[in-house]
Amino acid sequence: MVCVRPNSPRAAIRAGIALVTEDRKGQGLVLGQPGLDNALLVVNPGPVYFAPSIV
């Protein structure tokens, strides 16, 4: 086991640490939004680029 002590939220994300709330449905998700939008609710260090999708 490795002890990790991040000194910022960005360092925690880089180390693979995530917050999972006790009430994930009530506090951790935006239920009216698609899963991809919920997955992108992290602190993002740079711009996000989306490739156009083909339906």
Side-chain angles (χ1 to χ4, degrees):
M1 180 175 358
V2 176
C3 181
V4 177
R5 294 185 183 182
N7 56 5
S8 70
R10 183 170 290 161
I13 291 168
R14 285 186 184 138
I17 298 171
L19 170 67
V20 179
T21 63
E22 183 176 348
D23 179 11
R24 291 183 306 244
K25 207 174 198 182
Q27 296 178 338
L29 297 173
V30 181
L31 296 177
Q33 297 295 322
L36 178 61
D37 290 347
N38 278 281
L40 296 175
L41 288 175
V42 298
V43 176
N44 187 0
V48 177
Y49 300 99
F50 294 97
S53 60
I54 299 173
V55 179

